[in-house]
Amino acid sequence: MQAALEITARYCGRELEQYGQCVAAKPESWQRDCHHLKMSIAQCTSAHPIIRQIRQACLEPFKAFEECLRQNEAAVGNCAEHVRRFLQCAEQVQPTHRPSTLEAHPLPAS
């Protein structure tokens, strides 16, 4: 959970901040009143290219981390090494560079 939050905060920080502020401001009704902001976080994480790359490239370390959490529900601290491996993998993922239209088709010199 912490690993996912770190990555979400890095790439969807604005959405996460707005949701956090809403939850803090509406302690009685945050589940209802802040639902749209929760959905904006989900939309950001599913649409962000680097997060999609991380999900693909780091699938194995993430699965191992989730399995560790399942096996250590009462002692999630036992999964610190799994979190470290996942974050290390995520740090190594580089955004794929797609050439822009200008790079693919340079304008002729005048």
Side-chain angles (χ1 to χ4, degrees):
M1 182 69 143
Q2 182 184 347
L5 272 175
E6 281 188 41
I7 290 169
T8 301
R10 186 175 304 154
Y11 298 106
C12 300
R14 185 177 58 86
E15 292 83 351
L16 198 58
E17 170 109 8
Q18 288 174 341
Y19 179 64
Q21 288 174 351
C22 181
V23 169
K26 302 179 183 222
E28 320 290 302
S29 60
W30 67 269
Q31 289 164 319
R32 182 188 64 241
D33 293 342
C34 305
H35 181 74
H36 67 288
L37 294 171
K38 183 178 178 182
M39 291 296 100
S40 73
I41 294 170
Q43 185 177 11
C44 176
T45 58
S46 65
H48 201 291
I50 190 73
I51 293 176
R52 290 181 16 207
Q53 283 179 253
I54 289 169
R55 282 184 180 153
Q56 192 172 24
C58 303
L59 184 61
E60 289 308 312
F62 189 72
K63 280 182 175 179
F65 170 58
E66 285 186 321
E67 182 59 29
C68 181
L69 288 178
R70 272 193 289 281
Q71 293 175 1
N72 294 279
E73 285 182 30
V76 295
N78 293 345
C79 300
E81 182 61 22
H82 293 81
V83 171
R84 190 192 64 71
R85 282 190 211 125
F86 172 70
L87 289 174
Q88 186 175 28
C89 176
E91 287 291 326
Q92 293 172 3
V93 172
Q94 297 296 316
T96 53
H97 179 71
R98 294 186 181 149
S100 71
T101 307
L102 289 176
E103 289 172 330
H105 305 286
L107 297 173
S110 2

